[in-house]
Amino acid sequence: MSKVVIVTGGGRGIGAATAKLLASSGYQVCVNYRANAESANATVSAITASGGKAFSFQADVSNESDVIALFDATEAMFGAVTHLVNNAGILLPQSGFAGIDVERFNKVLISNVTSCFLCSREFIKRTKSQGAIVNVSSAAARTGAPFEYIDYAASKGAMDSLTKGLSLEVAAQGIRVNAVRPGFIYTEMHADGGEPNRIDRLSSQIPLQRGGTADEVANAIVWLLSDEASYVTGSFIDLAGGK
Ligand code: NAP
């Protein structure tokens, strides 16, 4: 069976590493992006230069009609979507809880959770047989991220609940739903949080004494999607150096 995957936010960071590894594992890949066409196209070029199959598609995955267009375009390009990585997410500048206004809170929830809900629902509606979803949650779902971004942590906690519930609803259909919970991964996201060097500041507090790489997260995502994880569903892999 041909394997067709959508990686949301696949142009940069963890999503790009995942898209490349999936392509080298034989998947045909839709590299979704919201605004940064340059990085999405660079990811596609890297894949095709290595003999893989990929295309980029702009869609705001927190928007329902964009998500439908994303799935339509991927089906038209490669056929039925068999796998999904809900990776797209945002982090806003560090703030204490009282400093988070309602617009910001709603923006983070919509960007990180509604997006996962919309893409997962579209996948479930269209996938008639075997398939797999991996949600990219965060260690923040466990820590709560006090004094930094409780809004972000709450969005990832909701993603974990969605992962668990959906995994149980669709297990009998042969669809597996799992999540990874990274932490301290070197990507551009920490600059969005207002502290580009956050990982280096915290590395001495991480049991493995260093930050992680996007490739290390991609390895876990690709394994969870693969047949090697055929008896794994509703599960979480923590990738935070022991934190
Ligand atoms: P990143 O480098 O900032 O990349 C984020 C990606 O998400 C970008 O490709 C961005 O698209 C895309 N995106 C954001 N909102 C979107 C939307 N509404 N529609 C479509 N695409 C959207 O971040 P990253 O560190 O790789 O993070 C990827 C995932 O890992 C996120 O869910 C994040 O919460 C999670 N995570 C990261 C860490 C870490 O330490 N880095 C830790 C835990 C969890 P554009 O390129 O078009 O802007």
Side-chain angles (χ1 to χ4, degrees), residues 78-161:
F78 292 138
V81 180
T82 58
H83 297 76
L84 170 66
V85 182
N86 283 311
N87 167 76
I90 63 165
L91 182 71
L92 297 180
Q94 293 166 353
S95 168
F97 188 69
I100 297 174
D101 63 29
V102 70
E103 288 76 20
R104 167 178 163 150
F105 190 82
N106 288 339
K107 181 178 178 181
V108 170
L109 269 285
I110 286 170
S111 299
N112 294 356
V113 187
T114 306
S115 57
C116 175
F117 156 69
L118 287 171
C119 291
S120 300
R121 192 185 60 175
E122 204 56 33
F123 182 86
I124 296 305
K125 280 183 182 175
R126 296 181 189 223
T127 302
K128 303 283 181 264
S129 56
Q130 307 262 315
I133 299 174
V134 172
N135 293 328
V136 183
S137 174
S138 171
R142 294 183 285 109
T143 67
F147 308 108
E148 291 192 316
Y149 4 72
I150 293 178
D151 50 355
Y152 174 83
S155 75
K156 296 300 185 176
M159 207 177 197
D160 285 3
S161 299

Side-chain angles (χ1 to χ4, degrees), residues 8-51:
T8 70
R12 298 189 283 131
I14 292 168
T18 303
K20 289 175 195 166
L21 190 57
L22 286 168
S24 68
S25 309
Y27 292 77
Q28 300 176 89
V29 185
C30 173
V31 176
N32 158 252
Y33 67 99
R34 177 192 49 186
N36 195 329
E38 196 179 333
S39 62
N41 291 334
T43 300
V44 169
S45 297
I47 289 172
T48 50
S50 317

Side-chain angles (χ1 to χ4, degrees), residues 4 27 37 61 75 77 82 99-100 114 129 133 154 163 167 194 213 220 227:
V4 177
Y27 292 77
V61 288
E75 276 180 16
M77 183 67 73
T82 58
I100 297 174
T114 306
S129 56
I133 299 174
T163 302
S167 74
T213 67
D227 289 344

Side-chain angles (χ1 to χ4, degrees), residues 156-180:
K156 296 300 185 176
M159 207 177 197
D160 285 3
S161 299
L162 189 156
T163 302
K164 197 73 198 173
L166 183 59
S167 74
L168 296 172
E169 270 202 26
V170 299
Q173 282 168 249
I175 298 174
R176 297 182 300 104
V177 186
N178 293 290
V180 293

